[in-house]
Amino acid sequence: MALTDGRRPGDRAVAADHVSLRRNNLSVVLRHVRESGPKSRARIAADTGLNKATVSSLVAELVERGLLREGSADSTRALGRPGQLVELDGSGVCGVGAEINVDYLAITALDLSGDTVFERRVPVDVAHLDPGTTLDRLADLVREALVAVEARSGQLAGVALAVPGLVRSDTGDLSLAPNLGWGELQVAAEMRERLGGGSYPLLIDNEANLAALAAYSELRHEDTPAQDGKPVQDLVLLTGAVGVGGGVVSNGHLLRGGHGFSGEVGHMPVAPPGHVCGCGRTGCWETVVGLSALLHQATEQDDPVRNPTLDVEQRLAAITQRAEDGDARTLAALKDVGAWLGIGGAILVNILNPDVLVLGGYFAALGPWLKEPLEQALRDRVIAPDGGGCRVVRSELGFAAAVRGGAQIALDQVFVDPTMIGRVESGVTP
């Protein structure tokens, strides 16, 4: 029986397959330009295996959608008329990353080229607020970012929220965030309600996972090789604040585990059993390497740097100054935390054998004092020669890593399906 549009079922299936194939080819071209930089249409065709006519059509559509733009002439061509390079555009396409942490809320909006459109972090004593109040404040920050995106006539690819806890990223639900004191919570649904149910994707993930993705992108962007000269494909990111999280990238892919709960390295039972963790157990790694552990050793109870309403970077600046001034108590605390960081780090290096162990969060800020005792512990405890080829590096992203990773995964959807952005008005058929 004929369908209402006059086509037979087989015709419709063929059309659907054609649309899917073109969407995939658009993704191939867009991702190739992102990874390889400006290219001529002929070079894209040669590199991807697509024919030249198809590439010309795909590039035309991606330009119309505002994802690619015409660049300079191809100066590498020795003979014939130089081809026109095409390069990544996306200045009007933005992704937003937001983060809830124990003592701050943060947000970043990035465009498709990775440039910052909006950025803000505010000190908030989240651990002493109820979840509803915290999500209200975060929704206000998200709205500020959306105004900044709209002001540049941008299109929103999505919003990704980073939370320090066990997150079911497929449903957007939080299972447990011990340092926040939060239990089961439908974070995605709660945020969607506060933001008015917009049509853009709203994603939820563990903050260490998103920070690891940002660190991986940072290392690849800087073309930092592994010890054997190959590009970095395996890393472990350790991010520290009050809690400690770990993100693992294996062979270029985020390692989530069977149920999405991997990376809770702060709860490895390696510390003395008398140390009580925010999760209620004793002996967790974060009880000896978390920021609270450092401040407990380095400062008195009434020291202003223990005040959670003071921005975390101001608190760390004060610790840094004391270390630079040679304060004995501060230096002793840093040495002890660095040694414990190496004890837990050696376990991870022995198990995962990463190319790089990346220090993020407060570990990066105080890296000049933590790195030496950490590396000494790795030398003493990693069984493979030369630490298994693992190097220790400090992330330059600081406390912005998780929100940048969130903005990046929001934007990654565009590279998977470029047709989610813009409308094609020229009549180019799918």
Side-chain angles (χ1 to χ4, degrees):
M1 183 177 69
L3 300 172
T4 55
D5 61 3
R7 291 184 294 175
R8 292 172 297 179
D11 296 334
R12 179 166 290 179
V14 170
D17 288 344
H18 186 50
V19 169
S20 177
L21 177 61
R22 186 170 182 86
R23 183 185 298 118
N24 178 73
N25 287 342
L26 287 166
S27 172
V28 168
V29 171
L30 187 62
R31 285 187 283 113
H32 183 68
V33 174
R34 175 179 65 170
E35 295 296 326
S36 302
K39 297 281 185 179
S40 68
R41 290 163 175 81
R43 187 71 258 173
I44 293 171
D47 291 346
T48 62
L50 298 169
N51 67 57
K52 292 181 180 179
T54 298
V55 167
S56 292
S57 174
L58 296 169
V59 167
E61 181 172 339
L62 291 168
V63 169
E64 259 187 299
R65 291 184 183 276
L67 300 175
L68 295 180
R69 64 187 172 205
E70 301 285 355
S72 58
D74 184 3
S75 61
T76 63
R77 186 168 179 175
L79 299 174
R81 183 178 179 181
Q84 193 79 17
L85 298 177
V86 290
E87 60 190 19
L88 195 66
D89 184 4
S91 57
V93 180
C94 297
V96 173
E99 180 185 5
I100 299 171
N101 217 307
V102 176
D103 48 13
Y104 66 84
L105 301 176
I107 193 157
T108 289
L110 303 177
D111 68 18
L112 204 66
S113 301
D115 293 331
T116 302
V117 175
F118 180 85
E119 190 170 40
R120 192 175 174 202
R121 187 181 67 249
V122 293
V124 178
D125 190 6
V126 175
H128 292 90
L129 295 178
D130 63 273
T133 301
T134 298
L135 294 177
D136 287 343
R137 295 191 181 184
L138 186 68
D140 289 340
L141 285 178
V142 172
R143 280 188 283 268
E144 287 185 44
L146 298 186
V147 168
V149 171
E150 186 178 353
R152 61 187 288 168
S153 301
Q155 185 169 345
L156 185 65
V159 175
L161 173 59
V163 183
L166 297 175
V167 176
R168 292 189 288 270
S169 56
D170 56 338
T171 64
D173 296 341
L174 174 73
S175 293
L176 177 67
N179 288 314
L180 300 182
W182 293 10
E184 290 281 347
L185 184 65
Q186 294 179 316
V187 178
E190 292 279 352
M191 284 298 292
R192 178 68 73 191
E193 180 180 350
R194 286 165 171 77
L195 295 171
S199 60
Y200 51 83
L202 181 62
L203 312 170
I204 314 293
D205 210 330
N206 174 269
E207 53 96 19
N209 283 344
L210 296 180
L213 289 174
Y216 178 65
S217 177
E218 177 189 26
L219 289 173
R220 287 179 63 83
H221 180 71
E222 294 178 355
D223 198 27
T224 303
Q227 192 175 54
D228 57 6
K230 298 178 182 178
V232 170
Q233 289 291 302
D234 297 82
L235 68 80
V236 173
L237 171 110
L238 299 178
T239 180
V242 172
V244 174
V248 180
V249 174
S250 178
N251 197 28
H253 300 283
L254 184 67
L255 188 64
R256 294 185 178 277
H259 302 282
F261 295 153
S262 68
E264 289 296 324
V265 299
H267 299 288
M268 294 191 302
V270 299
H275 293 68
V276 180
C277 181
C279 72
R281 299 171 178 82
T282 62
C284 292
W285 191 27
E286 69 182 44
T287 64
V288 287
V289 299
L291 181 57
S292 295
L294 173 70
L295 296 179
H296 179 78
Q297 289 193 62
T299 66
E300 298 295 338
Q301 181 66 40
D302 59 352
D303 194 303
V305 299
R306 293 202 189 189
N307 182 358
T309 64
L310 186 66
D311 182 73
V312 64
E313 290 194 346
Q314 292 179 280
R315 300 161 76 188
L316 292 174
I319 294 295
T320 297
Q321 187 61 59
R322 294 175 193 181
E324 290 176 345
D325 291 341
D327 179 72
R329 180 171 178 176
T330 300
L331 292 174
L334 288 167
K335 183 177 181 180
D336 186 67
V337 168
W340 277 111
L341 197 58
I343 290 170
I347 295 173
L348 298 174
V349 172
N350 277 323
I351 294 172
L352 298 167
N353 186 216
D355 298 320
V356 180
L357 185 66
V358 184
L359 301 182
Y362 104 82
F363 299 140
L366 299 178
W369 296 276
L370 297 174
K371 193 177 176 191
E372 194 282 327
L374 162 61
E375 291 179 329
Q376 182 60 54
L378 293 181
R379 287 191 293 271
D380 292 342
R381 294 172 178 270
V382 173
I383 191 169
D386 299 320
C390 177
R391 294 179 297 112
V392 178
V393 302
R394 294 165 55 203
S395 172
E396 298 296 326
L397 299 176
F399 289 96
V403 287
R404 289 189 69 88
Q408 287 171 10
I409 67 163
L411 290 167
D412 280 346
Q413 299 173 104
V414 178
F415 291 95
V416 174
D417 180 11
T419 64
M420 69 182 289
I421 299 297
R423 294 183 177 180
V424 179
E425 305 294 345
S426 67
V428 177
T429 56

